[in-house]
Amino acid sequence: MTFSTSLLAACFLSSCGQGEKELEVPEDLPESFAINSEVEKTYSENLKVIRESLPAERYVDMSFLPEDGDYSAPEEKGPSYELTVGLPWIFNDQHAPLYIAQALGYFEDEGLIVDLREGGPGRNPLALLAGGSVDIAISSSGNAIVRLAASATGADVVAIAAMNRGSGYSWLAMDEDTPKEQRSDKVLTPADFYGATVGIQEGADMAMTFFLENFPYLKDKVKFTRAGFTPDLLVVGTIDFYAAMYENQPRLIEGQGFKNWTAFRFSDYGLTDFANVHTVSREMAETQGPVLRRYLRAVGRAVQLMLDDPKQAAEITKGYSTTTQLTIEQILRRFDLQRSMIEASPGMPILYAPLDTWDRIASQLYTYEQIEF
């Protein structure tokens, strides 16, 4: 069973939102968000389909990571090996661990000569991986890996690590009850979305459907419109919510002098993903295991440095982020916002992406008709 996304055509810009700021919030509206049990039941049912037809073991292999989470320097350098790594976006602070590993000689300690290839429009690292132009592709989203695995014509790739565990996808709002120079501690409720306008970007269909299916009492009370890559419309009040990545756009709002933002984080309600996923061809996974272990040890060591000494990490990152004009403060703010998604947890070292979470991602994609068999 899947949920149809056809309702989105009707929702967009019109019938799923009345756009009236003076709507009276009904007294029986829930005081907090609660996941629709029928939706969760559907995920569970579809999870069985996924584990039969597309289990994570087919396209994910975390065995190249150290079991004990020890990313310390090797005792001796491995044999020389050249690697080309395709980044998902332009040279900015999203890829900080790779710059750190390059600048501090972590790759060199492993005997690796690493060439970082900038991504951006028209330079999809997964496409470059499929075409043999790069050895390792870093994808901004784990969803893309699952889609490839589910596609009859997709490339045969294997995910070997993920820096961010849990989706940063959020709908940001300004807390008008908090002075702009103070951070907000407001917890959003359904009432905050009643009659609201949400500015979203391309590719948000699944998030929109997830929201409307789980909180059906808002289905005809929320209006969706297109928004750009910056939160300017939110800051000036043209829209009430802005779809963003939690680790990125909030610092842009703060850069304009507004600290009083708050967020509806989709990961808090079960819509999850991985970010900055390191992926290789199946052939490389099967033939170059020692090289991949050395590569991931260097990356993991760099991630640990970023967590332990963010100031040094930020200074290195600023020097490599040549395509963007980032300040040390902006970089440090990203590190702070994404820390909880990166840090190790009991039994799960940094960079480890659990198979059961991959299966849930696939189940959600199947539920919302993003993949099929």
Side-chain angles (χ1 to χ4, degrees):
M1 179 167 63
T2 58
F3 295 134
S4 173
T5 58
S6 61
L7 61 89
L8 295 180
C11 288
F12 213 80
L13 291 172
S14 54
S15 62
C16 272
Q18 299 176 7
E20 302 173 8
K21 300 302 181 183
E22 303 304 322
L23 287 179
E24 184 177 347
V25 179
E27 293 182 359
D28 60 350
L29 200 64
E31 294 183 359
S32 61
F33 290 100
I35 287 292
N36 186 333
S37 60
E38 289 302 310
V39 175
E40 188 61 39
K41 180 180 178 182
T42 301
Y43 292 157
S44 298
E45 293 172 353
N46 288 341
L47 192 58
K48 298 175 184 177
V49 177
I50 292 300
R51 287 178 173 159
E52 291 176 358
S53 304
L54 190 67
E57 290 87 347
R58 288 190 186 177
Y59 59 92
V60 178
D61 187 350
M62 294 289 122
S63 68
F64 304 108
L65 298 170
E67 291 184 8
D68 58 1
D70 182 6
Y71 290 98
S72 56
E75 294 184 3
E76 58 182 53
K77 185 182 297 187
S80 180
Y81 197 95
E82 295 184 12
L83 285 173
T84 301
V85 179
L87 305 181
W89 196 237
I90 58 176
F91 289 136
N92 66 4
D93 53 351
Q94 178 181 348
H95 320 112
L98 295 170
Y99 309 146
I100 295 166
Q102 195 84 289
L104 297 184
Y106 295 169
F107 287 137
E108 184 180 359
D109 289 345
E110 300 286 352
L112 302 176
I113 302 169
V114 176
D115 177 19
L116 302 179
R117 297 282 178 87
E118 187 175 34
R123 288 177 284 184
N124 183 332
L126 290 175
L128 295 175
L129 177 65
S133 297
V134 299
D135 301 301
I136 299 174
I138 300 179
S139 174
S140 292
S141 170
N143 279 339
I145 313 301
V146 179
R147 292 173 195 270
L148 268 181
S151 172
T153 58
D156 193 6
V157 300
V158 179
I160 59 172
M163 188 178 82
N164 289 20
R165 295 172 296 191
S167 173
Y169 185 77
S170 306
W171 287 352
L172 306 179
M174 304 304 296
D175 178 3
E176 301 299 339
D177 296 324
T178 299
K180 68 176 187 178
E181 64 274 6
Q182 296 180 19
R183 297 201 190 284
S184 170
D185 58 3
K186 179 178 181 178
V187 177
L188 294 170
T189 70
D192 294 301
F193 283 88
Y194 202 84
T197 299
V198 181
I200 64 169
Q201 299 172 25
E202 201 74 35
D205 287 4
M206 191 168 83
M208 291 166 63
T209 308
F210 173 90
F211 184 84
L212 297 174
E213 292 287 350
N214 273 290
F215 315 115
Y217 44 82
L218 293 170
K219 188 168 290 187
D220 63 346
K221 303 302 179 187
V222 180
K223 176 180 176 180
F224 296 97
T225 187
R226 291 292 184 204
F229 293 106
T230 62
D232 296 342
L233 294 180
L234 176 65
V235 173
V236 300
T238 303
I239 56 178
D240 304 296
F241 288 87
Y242 172 70
M245 298 307 292
Y246 186 79
E247 66 272 30
N248 191 12
Q249 281 88 350
R251 62 197 178 140
L252 302 182
I253 296 174
E254 293 175 359
Q256 296 185 46
F258 296 88
K259 294 183 177 181
N260 59 328
W261 58 271
T262 186
F264 179 89
R265 297 188 65 180
F266 278 71
S267 61
D268 290 341
Y269 300 94
L271 189 65
T272 192
D273 197 4
F274 294 113
N276 297 322
V277 181
H278 297 249
T279 309
V280 299
S281 67
R282 185 166 302 280
E283 179 183 5
M284 187 161 195
E286 292 177 347
T287 62
Q288 298 297 336
V291 170
L292 296 179
R293 289 185 180 88
R294 288 154 54 195
Y295 167 79
L296 291 177
R297 184 162 54 216
V299 173
R301 189 178 166 197
V303 172
Q304 194 62 61
L305 183 281
M306 184 175 71
L307 296 173
D308 294 341
D309 191 350
K311 183 67 183 301
Q312 181 185 8
E315 290 171 349
I316 292 170
T317 300
K318 179 173 172 52
Y320 276 78
S321 301
T322 53
T323 314
T324 54
Q325 299 299 317
L326 296 169
T327 66
I328 293 293
E329 290 71 24
Q330 287 174 321
I331 297 170
L332 286 171
R333 188 61 174 135
R334 174 191 276 272
F335 292 171
D336 180 51
L337 291 168
Q338 69 184 6
R339 174 176 286 271
S340 64
M341 292 185 280
I342 295 175
E343 288 181 320
S345 54
M348 192 183 302
I350 56 175
L351 297 180
Y352 188 86
L355 296 183
D356 57 349
T357 306
W358 281 104
D359 282 338
R360 181 174 177 87
I361 293 170
S363 176
Q364 290 175 337
L365 288 170
Y366 181 65
T367 298
Y368 294 114
E369 300 178 347
Q370 304 296 301
I371 59 174
E372 59 182 21
F373 307 112

